[in-house]
Amino acid sequence: MNKFAAKAVKALCALGLGFALASSVQAATDDAIAERIKPIGSVCIEGDDSCGGAAAAPVAAGGARSGESIYTGKCAACHGTGVLGAPKFGTNEMQARLDEKGMETLMNHALNGFNAMPPKGTCADCSDDEIKTAIEYMLSGS
Ligand code: HEC
């Protein structure tokens, strides 16, 4: 092989490698884009295991959320800092109300509203049980 041919082969190899790299980068980018623009949720029909049947099962069974997640998502806005006199998380204020009024009254006020406490604490889609676990979570934090 003369010098020129050797150079040409090198150049072609570099070119080929370049293409291979470029196309794998392109593939990775396409995956990243597909990942970014994929829908946030997907509907999973009960009994269809292909889309994570196990993960979908709790939702089919009612899917009660934890007291902590409801508290964090709905109640902490006021109860985290004690806005408008809300019994503040991390203090004994909720416990003091429980001792004074009992769980039935606290539940009644949490579900129907009480002064500046809005009905269901703004968690319109919370079940009674979920409101109760959120109160229990607040009590556990006192
Ligand atoms: C918009 C602010 C706000 C949000 C959101 C909120 N609360 Fe309250 N909550 C209050 C205020 C203010 C009080 C005190 C009312 C009073 O004593 O006059 C209160 C009081 C309570 C009480 C005590 C009621 C009583 O009889 O003393 C419970 C229980 C309670 N909240 C539960 C919850 C739960 C559970 C959530 C979330 C699902 C929640 N709150 C979300 C403002 C809020």
Side-chain angles (χ1 to χ4, degrees):
M1 206 187 298
N2 65 29
K3 238 176 160 187
F4 177 76
K7 263 193 182 156
V9 166
K10 258 192 198 163
L12 279 175
C13 286
L15 208 63
L17 190 66
F19 272 127
L21 271 178
S23 61
S24 69
V25 166
Q26 185 61 47
T29 313
D30 286 350
D31 283 352
I33 292 171
E35 179 66 24
R36 274 205 303 276
I37 63 173
K38 75 174 182 198
I40 289 171
S42 55
V43 175
C44 195
I45 309 297
E46 201 178 342
D48 177 1
D49 293 338
S50 69
C51 56
V59 174
R65 292 158 288 187
S66 73
E68 180 177 4
S69 75
I70 291 170
Y71 167 77
T72 308
K74 301 286 181 179
C75 322
C78 297
H79 287 271
T81 52
V83 172
L84 304 165
K88 193 171 162 187
F89 187 80
T91 68
N92 66 353
E93 291 173 19
M94 190 64 88
Q95 184 64 50
R97 286 175 186 243
L98 176 68
D99 296 343
E100 186 191 323
K101 309 179 185 186
M103 192 52 154
E104 208 178 313
T105 304
L106 290 196
M107 266 303 279
N108 184 22
H109 287 166
L111 292 175
N112 302 314
F114 178 59
N115 299 327
M117 163 69 195
K120 287 194 166 185
T122 69
C123 182
D125 68 342
C126 275
S127 68
D128 292 9
D129 275 351
E130 288 175 324
I131 294 291
K132 191 166 185 205
T133 56
I135 298 174
E136 282 163 355
Y137 178 74
M138 283 195 251
L139 288 165
S140 77
S142 49

